[in-house]
Amino acid sequence: MEKEVHEQYEYARRRLRQKKVLYFHFVLFLLGSLFLFIANRFFGFGEGTSQNWCIWGITIWLFLFILHFIKVYITDRFMNKKWEREQIDRLVALQQKRISQLESSINEENENKI
């Protein structure tokens, strides 16, 4: 029982850390986007370019943040330790079934030869 409680605690601690890092990434994204926008508009960085480079930078950063969000709230939420154990058990059962089929076919061949 104590092992199960410890696993639950470790899972909760890991999820909390993931969410904390995600929130930090969001704040960093907001501040970084604001900095890029101000640098482009008011300080004249990138005046030689015809495009708004800060929009491209913010868009790429937003895409990376969305991937991080998906990893934390969708992927890791469903594919946790319990899911891993279930998949391993399923694969082991399939392997055992295949081994038993091979053994039975080998036994049948041996019986037919005798």
Side-chain angles (χ1 to χ4, degrees):
M1 183 70 172
E2 185 175 316
K3 182 181 177 184
E4 185 176 312
V5 171
H6 180 68
E7 286 180 2
Q8 289 174 348
Y9 172 77
E10 286 298 319
Y11 174 74
R13 192 171 65 82
R14 186 177 60 84
R15 289 289 295 156
L16 182 62
R17 174 145 170 68
Q18 284 180 334
K19 290 178 182 182
K20 188 177 178 181
V21 170
L22 180 69
Y23 296 148
F24 177 76
H25 186 182
F26 180 69
V27 170
L28 190 64
F29 167 71
L30 289 178
L31 294 176
S33 298
L34 182 64
F35 173 75
L36 291 175
F37 180 76
I38 290 172
N40 186 37
R41 293 284 184 209
F42 299 113
F43 294 117
F45 288 114
E47 284 183 2
T49 61
S50 62
Q51 299 177 1
N52 285 336
W53 62 270
C54 73
I55 300 299
W56 283 103
I58 292 170
T59 303
I60 291 169
W61 199 349
L62 177 64
F63 177 72
L64 293 174
F65 176 74
I66 290 171
L67 289 178
H68 190 184
F69 180 85
I70 289 171
K71 181 185 180 307
V72 170
Y73 279 102
I74 296 174
T75 307
D76 284 353
R77 183 175 179 189
F78 296 111
M79 295 183 180
N80 54 22
K81 291 285 184 187
K82 180 181 175 186
W83 180 83
E84 286 178 15
R85 276 190 229 117
E86 289 172 357
Q87 294 302 312
I88 289 171
D89 291 343
R90 185 180 64 83
L91 291 173
V92 167
L94 287 173
Q95 288 174 346
Q96 289 174 347
K97 180 180 176 185
R98 181 69 179 143
I99 289 171
S100 66
Q101 288 174 348
L102 289 172
E103 287 175 346
S104 65
S105 67
I106 289 172
N107 289 337
E108 288 176 7
E109 287 178 13
N110 289 339
E111 289 176 3
N112 291 338
K113 288 182 181 180
I114 297 178

